[in-house]
Amino acid sequence: MVKPTAKKLGRNAPCHCGSGRKYKDCHLLAEEAARSEQLRLRQAQDTLLPKIIEAAQSVPDQFPPAFDRFWQGKYEYGVEQMEKLSTVEDRGSERFLTWFAFDFRQADGRTLVDQLDDAVEIGGFDVDPFERRLLSQWRRVRLRPYVVAEVRKGKGLSLRDLLGDAMYEVADHGASKRLAPGEVVVGHLISADTAPGAEAPTYYLAGAAAQLTDDTAEKLLEFAELHLADLRRRVPDATWDDVVDQRSEVLNHFVIALPQEQRDPTVMERIIAEGRIGLQLTAESVAALLGRTLPSDDE
Ligand SMILES: [Zn+2]
């Protein structure tokens, strides 16, 4: 946790670093600058995302193929359909637009975020220096699944990457009220500011994320592993980053196949079975591609 040293320390008090000098002659200015930078980056996060989503609206010819991939053909692209999706699928149009901006590759192979970041150089996308810094970092952001590890109600939460165990501290007051430990978030985690004295940046959920009940984590991982195994048939050292870089939309396919009303484990078994058939994989081949041995029958 970060101690708000500067606020409590008087200007003429001895500096907290133990230098023996007064605070105002030692660490005060640097800490004020760090706080102001943190604030500007946090503001940039709020202003940059709407700019990106607005830019997405300027390439509507790319919507139909992207729509088809994200919704797995379940919906056909249309302006009316986009509006309906906000209710039919929880914040569906917003979830689609966020994925479209961060994950979908345009005709030239770059994502929209890549294109916008490159366009800044030639004056094609108007951002301030703080937004610029974030935009460059956001090129690597993809849709990923996270498990809620801890919730600090009204403050934030800790998310664990379901595909790799990294932990992230997320400042999202709304999400901290809606989510409980063990539940799953399928969304875009973006870094923005780093609190003064903190070791890691603060993360935020960009746009809309799908929220799943706590019975889904294991099955979603199993489903995602089919896709990792599938990639490894061609590229033996493929990683989770490759999976989300090449086909993060499959995570949404899992989400939209889930029942909306009540829990149903048979549905998840069916999603996995269908995924295995679609990818022409067997339990044995998945285990082999992931470097695992299957438990033998006589144990
Ligand atoms: Zn000092």
Side-chain angles (χ1 to χ4, degrees):
M1 119 158 216
V2 187
K3 284 191 201 160
T5 40
K7 267 178 197 153
K8 286 182 183 145
L9 210 54
R11 294 171 54 83
N12 289 310
C15 188
H16 56 78
C17 72
S19 65
R21 287 188 287 165
K22 288 179 180 174
Y23 181 49
K24 67 177 181 189
D25 298 324
C26 191
H27 269 86
L28 176 68
L29 280 181
E31 284 173 6
E32 276 179 358
R35 257 196 313 283
S36 135
E37 179 174 285
Q38 182 199 10
L39 191 67
R40 303 261 325 249
L41 280 167
R42 187 172 293 192
Q43 285 165 348
Q45 187 247 145
D46 287 336
T47 51
L48 179 59
L49 192 65
K51 283 188 188 180
I52 294 172
I53 297 299
E54 197 188 313
Q57 317 275 2
S58 66
V59 277
D61 56 314
Q62 292 291 312
F63 278 177
F67 210 75
D68 207 46
R69 268 182 64 182
F70 190 68
W71 299 113
Q72 206 178 13
K74 190 176 176 184
Y75 308 107
E76 201 169 322
Y77 175 71
V79 175
E80 272 177 41
Q81 185 61 66
M82 276 289 269
E83 281 165 17
K84 268 192 228 156
L85 273 174
S86 299
T87 46
V88 183
E89 302 282 350
D90 184 36
R91 296 174 81 191
S93 51
E94 212 182 329
R95 272 162 48 207
F96 166 72
L97 285 170
T98 314
W99 175 82
F100 181 79
F102 284 98
D103 301 60
F104 181 71
R105 290 182 189 281
Q106 306 288 319
D108 65 1
R110 291 179 298 165
T111 65
L112 181 68
V113 169
D114 289 338
Q115 290 181 338
L116 294 173
D117 189 42
D118 294 339
V120 171
E121 299 273 1
I122 51 169
F125 187 53
D126 193 22
V127 287
D128 71 29
F130 290 90
E131 292 170 334
R132 175 82 212 265
R133 264 166 66 184
L134 294 183
L135 187 60
S136 299
Q137 292 171 21
W138 290 3
R139 292 177 81 128
R140 295 186 297 275
V141 172
R142 297 287 182 275
L143 184 69
R144 284 183 92 108
Y146 302 91
V147 183
V148 180
E150 198 192 326
V151 174
R152 294 172 298 281
K153 282 258 188 288
K155 291 200 174 89
L157 55 159
S158 308
L159 293 181
R160 178 173 60 79
D161 189 347
L162 187 62
L163 314 176
D165 287 340
M167 291 287 292
Y168 299 94
E169 293 307 311
V170 181
D172 190 321
H173 304 188
S176 76
K177 287 175 192 158
R178 289 192 303 270
L179 288 160
E183 291 181 342
V184 172
V185 179
V186 180
H188 294 83
L189 215 53
I190 52 174
S191 61
D193 53 296
T194 304
E199 282 169 18
T202 307
Y203 286 83
Y204 300 84
L205 281 164
Q211 297 179 16
L212 312 179
T213 46
D214 61 9
D215 55 332
T216 58
E218 207 180 305
K219 295 298 172 190
L220 177 50
L221 179 60
E222 201 180 325
F223 175 78
E225 280 174 346
L226 297 177
H227 288 276
L228 179 60
D230 183 48
L231 282 191
R232 285 189 179 169
R233 288 199 281 213
R234 274 164 292 130
V235 184
D237 56 356
T239 63
W240 283 125
D241 285 347
D242 298 319
V243 174
V244 294
D245 196 49
Q246 293 174 33
R247 49 172 96 165
S248 60
E249 70 275 8
V250 301
L251 300 168
N252 191 56
H253 300 169
F254 183 89
V255 170
I256 61 177
L258 291 174
Q260 303 228 355
E261 299 295 314
Q262 44 194 203
R263 293 165 188 240
D264 185 351
T266 61
V267 171
M268 287 188 280
E269 294 299 343
R270 202 188 64 222
I271 301 170
I272 291 165
E274 285 174 0
R276 203 179 277 149
I277 293 164
L279 297 168
Q280 296 181 311
L281 288 161
T282 61
E284 289 76 16
S285 61
V286 172
L289 287 158
L290 298 178
R292 285 185 198 148
T293 47
L294 281 180
S296 70
D297 290 336
D298 45 49
E299 267 178 297

